[in-house]
Amino acid sequence: MTLPERLAAYNTPEGAQRYLDEYSKVHRKVSDRRERRLLNRWARRIGEPGTVLDLPCGWGRYLPFFTELGARVIEADYSVDMVWDSRRLHPGSPPLGGLRCFGHQIPLADRAVDLVFSMRLSHHLADPVLRRDHLREILRVADRWVLFTYFDHASPKNLMRRARTRLGLTDKPPKSTLRRGEVRRIIAESSFEIVTDPFLFAIGSGHRMVLARRLPAGD
């Protein structure tokens, strides 16, 4: 399936329902619990963000988390149906607003929100240029904090996939990754610093979950 075909399928009620159904699977529930443990731990560092951009918001699984922190949440996704599903599933946590956009083209001003939250988008961007553009864009829009994931090129999971591909043991496509060094460089160039960036799981996951904050002026 080509990228335009994948995007067209995603931006449909059926595509939104398939994504929602994914989170009934055991491995999704396990990773979701791990993500939430890290977020609950980091919430003390973040404090009370006034505004949050959740991109991609999906069906709003983190909307209640941020509204409980007292934040006003802008939900953004390429799929209009995802945004509407979030409204339907979380009527008690009304968002500040909704946007349809790409992760590398956010129609907001520089430093428009206190925190940008971008969970599990980077590895879906097959073009490495877009992966880097996505990172620069969320840093541009964030005033204080960014919280995002990417698939680490040097992770054991990716190294194993590459070895299996070379040996002809799998026909799965290569992972869409970023190198830890380039992530750190882009973050530094945007006047941010990484607070912490652990693997989601030490074994079995190539995703790093990154919390970064903007440096005070002059640093």
Side-chain angles (χ1 to χ4, degrees):
M1 184 181 290
T2 65
L3 179 58
E5 290 171 334
R6 286 171 55 201
L7 289 173
Y10 180 72
N11 186 34
T12 62
E14 295 77 17
Q17 185 59 50
R18 281 195 297 272
Y19 188 75
L20 177 59
D21 292 344
E22 272 287 305
Y23 280 84
S24 65
K25 297 178 179 179
V26 172
H27 74 284
R28 289 291 192 184
K29 291 180 179 179
V30 171
S31 63
D32 183 76
R33 283 197 295 270
R34 169 62 174 164
E35 291 169 7
R36 291 178 186 276
R37 282 198 298 271
L38 289 173
L39 285 174
N40 284 323
R41 187 185 309 163
W42 296 351
R44 293 190 292 272
R45 297 184 181 186
I46 295 169
E48 297 182 3
T51 50
V52 173
L53 173 66
D54 184 359
L55 170 68
C57 65
W59 46 270
R61 65 192 178 106
Y62 285 112
L63 177 60
F65 173 83
F66 285 113
T67 54
E68 287 171 9
L69 291 180
R72 295 174 298 159
V73 181
I74 299 172
E75 293 192 302
D77 205 289
Y78 181 76
S79 169
V80 174
D81 292 287
M82 289 288 189
V83 178
W84 283 115
D85 272 356
S86 177
R87 303 283 178 90
R88 175 177 59 84
L89 294 168
H90 307 288
S93 302
L96 178 61
L99 291 172
R100 184 190 180 212
C101 66
F102 289 106
H104 63 287
Q105 295 174 334
I106 305 173
L108 293 175
D110 295 356
R111 304 180 69 162
V113 295
D114 291 321
L115 182 150
V116 176
F117 179 71
S118 190
M119 184 69 67
R120 295 183 178 273
L121 174 58
S122 177
H123 72 291
H124 287 297
L125 303 174
D127 186 338
V129 174
L130 293 186
R131 293 196 289 277
R132 293 189 288 269
D133 286 348
H134 162 249
L135 178 52
R136 291 188 180 97
E137 189 71 343
I138 63 175
L139 290 161
R140 179 188 68 80
V141 172
D143 184 46
R144 296 172 52 212
W145 299 93
V146 291
L147 206 166
F148 68 99
T149 58
Y150 72 95
F151 208 100
D152 190 329
H153 186 80
S155 65
K157 188 166 185 177
N158 187 54
L159 295 177
M160 184 173 293
R161 170 70 66 84
R162 289 165 61 84
R164 286 171 58 83
T165 300
R166 285 195 299 269
L167 294 171
L169 300 177
T170 180
D171 57 0
K172 291 183 179 180
K175 295 289 186 181
S176 296
T177 65
L178 288 170
R179 296 180 184 274
R180 195 181 188 194
E182 68 179 326
V183 170
R184 288 178 172 270
R185 175 179 55 78
I186 292 170
I187 284 175
E189 289 172 350
S190 299
S191 299
F192 275 75
E193 65 176 357
I194 291 178
V195 177
T196 184
D197 64 342
F199 279 118
L200 192 58
F201 293 99
I203 299 175
S205 174
H207 290 282
R208 283 194 184 273
M209 196 162 161
V210 183
L211 176 65
R213 63 187 168 200
R214 186 179 289 277
L215 292 166
D219 283 11

